[in-house]
Amino acid sequence: MKKMFSLLILLTAILGCSNRDIVTKDEICPMYYSLSGKIENGVRVIDVKAYKFGFNPDIIVVNSGEKVRLRLTSLDVAHGFKLEELGINERIEPGKESVVEFYATEAGTYEFKCSVFCGSGHLKMRGWLVVK
Ligand SMILES: [Cu+2]
């Protein structure tokens, strides 16, 4: 019975942790995500598509210490990519690639969001940068 109970708690923790409907950064478990993009000349390059109303990928995973290059494009209207902790706020125009570069120095989970009003779901348009 005790064993059952422990198993149930473990299962709840795992399921709760891997739930994709993320609301706060505490719900993200870095161990579940593999590194994003690919390394080109020592830089981690990741393509990110913005659309009404989200980002693909919405969880970007990099190693701490890496130089990261995000290639941002929009699938519909103008959007923004704002990552406050790293001082990033870039406009993404449809049909045009916006490039953002930064060094991921400190491990942690950082929220990024759309900074250009794009419609009714704008406030829900966000994602997470996980620095391992
Ligand atoms: Cu928006």
Side-chain angles (χ1 to χ4, degrees):
M1 187 63 197
K2 204 173 169 189
K3 220 172 180 177
M4 257 315 245
F5 190 63
S6 311
L7 194 70
L8 198 69
I9 288 185
L10 185 71
L11 208 62
T12 308
I14 291 171
L15 291 176
C17 204
S18 60
N19 184 356
R20 289 280 301 169
D21 197 12
I22 293 156
V23 180
T24 71
K25 67 179 180 182
D26 301 324
E27 292 167 50
I28 294 179
C29 304
M31 62 182 181
Y32 284 119
Y33 302 103
S34 47
L35 293 163
S36 305
K38 55 183 186 296
I39 300 289
E40 281 177 19
N41 301 319
V43 181
R44 182 168 297 283
V45 180
I46 305 158
D47 291 312
V48 181
K49 291 174 172 58
Y51 60 92
K52 290 194 316 191
F53 297 101
F55 293 94
N56 183 19
D58 61 347
I59 296 179
I60 298 170
V61 186
V62 303
N63 281 322
S64 58
E66 273 181 337
K67 183 174 184 178
V68 178
R69 180 181 301 140
L70 302 180
R71 296 192 299 214
L72 308 163
T73 51
S74 169
L75 297 180
D76 40 47
V77 300
H79 293 285
F81 183 94
K82 185 174 188 179
L83 207 166
E84 223 154 359
E85 281 100 334
L86 297 178
I88 296 168
N89 190 7
E90 190 75 25
R91 198 178 162 91
I92 314 168
E93 295 288 349
K96 189 175 162 264
E97 187 179 84
S98 301
V99 177
V100 164
E101 287 186 339
F102 60 90
Y103 282 93
T105 49
E106 256 181 83
T109 301
Y110 306 90
E111 186 186 34
F112 58 82
K113 51 185 133 187
C114 180
S115 54
V116 174
F117 183 78
C118 54
S120 61
H122 168 68
L123 288 175
K124 285 189 288 185
M125 190 173 162
R126 60 181 177 170
W128 309 91
L129 170 73
V130 177
V131 181
K132 284 192 171 186

